[in-house]
Amino acid sequence: MSTVLVTGGTGFIGSHTCVALIESGYDVIVVDNLYNSKKEACNRIFKITGKEVKFYEIDCCDKKALRKVFEENKIDSVIHFAGLKAVGESVQMPAEYYRNNIDSILTVVELMKEFGVKNIVFSSSATVYGSTGKVPLSEDSPLGECTNPYGWTKWMIERILSDIAYSDPTLNVVLLRYFNPVGAHESGLLGEDPQGIPNNLFPNVARAAAGVIECLNVFGNDYDTPDGTCIRDYIHVCDLAEGHVKALDYVATKNGGRYVFNLGTGNGYSVSQVITAYEKACGKKINYKFAPRREGDLPVSYADPTKANRELGFKTKYDMDKMCEDSWRWQTMNPNGLE
Ligand code: WQD
């Protein structure tokens, strides 16, 4: 049985990935400092899979504490989700973002080396691509000027892991560049549970549909797109989770190397189209108004997903309607998130 250490495993993408890993026969160990998630996620993982995950409440920057996890378990691979991830917050507190996100990855890779762990999958983001606007984005698209410290930490961690892969050819490094993860597990037991005011579109649409917020702000309707609102590549979080399983299965056949894959659907949806799809899913009109553009937003971003399809055999299964249905079920079953 292959054992995977999932850092940030009680978070939105981490918890869904734990479910997919368990259902694919992996043993899972979760490390999380619960800064932006709740331990209840472990109970939900158990309810869905019938299997306990071994949980450690540890900050990945705490090398002494994290070493204990490597001492107590035979870890074959690491999937590294742990990190601060709010775009807006990163602009307000850049030093904390650089300290936390860079310190944690360095701690993890140092312990991997100490304990001879040879596989790491990193939760990267399409935000590392520059803002050339050329779409679809392939893995060969130029990396460039990130628009916020959060994005720069993803870019820097890709650089760190690439250099480490170069220095140790026996290491398998997989960089997964997510587009826009949305939706929830179809059981309604796991979903996006942002602490504080969410930045992202889907949780805000869900809250507008539920009446938690009075009116959804649509940031800009004067972009050079068919309906004037921004276009993104929304990917169901369960598809994304499956992409991580495919990545681990892939490196199990490799003896070292650096591998980069986009995880997206290849389809772009505008904000207005998301609202229309969500209204269909929830059966209500969503109250929204057009507001000024949000700084740093790209007009259009969506993936060329062919490399992950070709090399990993990864293909997204879920469409926009399913993303909205599952998001709405999560919202109605968990109006206060994971309590
Ligand atoms: C999507 C569109 C907004 C909220 C970010 C990160 C990326 C990844 C996904 C972590 C934009 C518009 C949003 C709202 C709106 N994060 N919007 N009203 O900015 O594409 O990507 O989240 O991995 O790294 O950069 O996603 O959901 O914030 O915005 O109109 O209340 O929805 O302007 O056009 P984004 P988003």
Side-chain angles (χ1 to χ4, degrees):
M1 183 73 78
S2 188
T3 300
V4 190
L5 168 61
V6 182
T7 72
T10 53
F12 174 42
I13 303 165
S15 57
H16 285 82
T17 301
C18 288
V19 168
L21 287 167
I22 291 166
E23 289 177 345
S24 298
Y26 286 92
D27 266 344
V28 169
I29 296 165
V30 171
V31 159
D32 203 300
N33 66 2
L34 302 179
Y35 171 80
N36 190 32
S37 59
K38 298 190 184 106
K39 194 182 170 197
E40 170 61 17
C42 295
N43 298 333
R44 303 296 178 93
I45 292 167
F46 175 73
K47 280 188 182 159
I48 293 168
T49 65
K51 289 208 64 182
E52 295 278 352
V53 293
K54 204 170 179 183
F55 175 74
Y56 293 80
E57 184 177 350
I58 286 176
D59 187 315
C60 285
C61 299
D62 180 348
K63 191 168 186 178
K64 186 163 169 284
L66 192 58
R67 176 177 286 110
K68 205 161 138 289
V69 181
F70 283 81
E71 284 166 347
E72 291 177 2
N73 303 278
K74 189 192 169 315
I75 293 165
D76 300 297
S77 307
V78 174
I79 302 183
H80 185 61
F81 292 105
L84 297 174
K85 62 152 217 170
V87 168
E89 186 183 58
S90 77
V91 176
Q92 309 305 321
M93 42 197 280
E96 289 81 353
Y97 267 67
Y98 288 118
R99 164 61 67 193
N100 181 79
N101 291 4
I102 306 304
D103 200 344
S104 56
I105 191 62
L106 290 174
T107 304
V108 166
V109 295
E110 285 168 359
L111 288 169
M112 282 178 64
K113 185 168 181 176
E114 193 178 321
F115 288 85
V117 178
K118 291 293 183 186
N119 306 298
I120 181 166
V121 175
F122 172 58
S123 158
S124 191
S125 167
T127 204
V128 302
Y129 293 116
S131 45
T132 57
K134 283 202 184 65
V135 285
L137 287 161
S138 79
E139 289 80 357
D140 304 324
S141 296
L143 305 192
E145 295 303 304
C146 297
T147 55
N148 55 76
Y150 155 77
W152 278 119
T153 64
K154 292 296 187 185
W155 188 95
M156 289 174 188
I157 294 171
E158 285 205 5
R159 184 70 269 151
I160 290 165
L161 289 175
S162 303
D163 290 346
I164 290 172
Y166 183 76
S167 73
D168 174 359
T170 66
L171 201 60
N172 284 314
V173 168
V174 183
L175 309 174
L176 297 180
R177 293 174 181 162
Y178 309 160
F179 280 71
N180 287 63
V182 297
H185 190 269
E186 61 188 9
S187 63
L189 291 171
L190 279 177
E192 192 162 9
D193 184 17
Q195 309 308 302
I197 309 286
N199 298 312
N200 297 131
L201 178 65
F202 254 74
N204 282 337
V205 173
R207 292 184 183 199
V212 171
I213 57 173
E214 164 61 24
C215 180
L216 169 74
N217 286 318
V218 175
F219 299 136
N221 68 327
D222 58 351
Y223 285 98
D224 182 15
T225 61
D227 63 24
T229 63
C230 293
I231 292 171
R232 293 289 183 275
D233 184 333
Y234 298 97
I235 176 171
H236 196 293
V237 64
C238 291
D239 272 331
L240 195 69
E242 196 51 37
H244 292 74
V245 176
K246 293 283 188 189
L248 282 185
D249 294 348
Y250 179 79
V251 291
T253 66
K254 302 288 181 188
N255 297 312
R258 171 194 178 274
Y259 308 96
V260 187
F261 300 104
N262 286 341
L263 293 186
T265 65
N267 306 316
Y269 277 83
S270 74
V271 177
S272 294
Q273 287 174 316
V274 168
I275 293 170
T276 302
Y278 215 97
E279 289 179 332
K280 186 174 140 194
C282 70
K284 310 178 186 191
K285 289 304 282 173
I286 289 170
N287 186 25
Y288 69 91
K289 69 176 180 347
F290 292 118
R293 292 183 174 192
R294 183 174 69 175
E295 197 191 335
D297 275 340
L298 294 176
V300 184
S301 169
Y302 58 87
D304 169 355
T306 48
K307 186 181 174 192
N309 185 290
R310 185 181 65 245
E311 312 245 337
L312 299 181
F314 172 72
K315 193 122 182 63
T316 53
K317 288 201 291 263
Y318 302 119
D319 62 11
M320 178 54 70
D321 286 340
K322 176 78 170 153
M323 292 177 212
C324 294
E325 285 157 20
D326 291 344
S327 166
W328 181 238
R329 186 180 307 106
W330 158 257
Q331 174 65 40
T332 50
M333 285 173 64
N334 305 270
N336 302 313
L338 285 173
E339 289 182 291

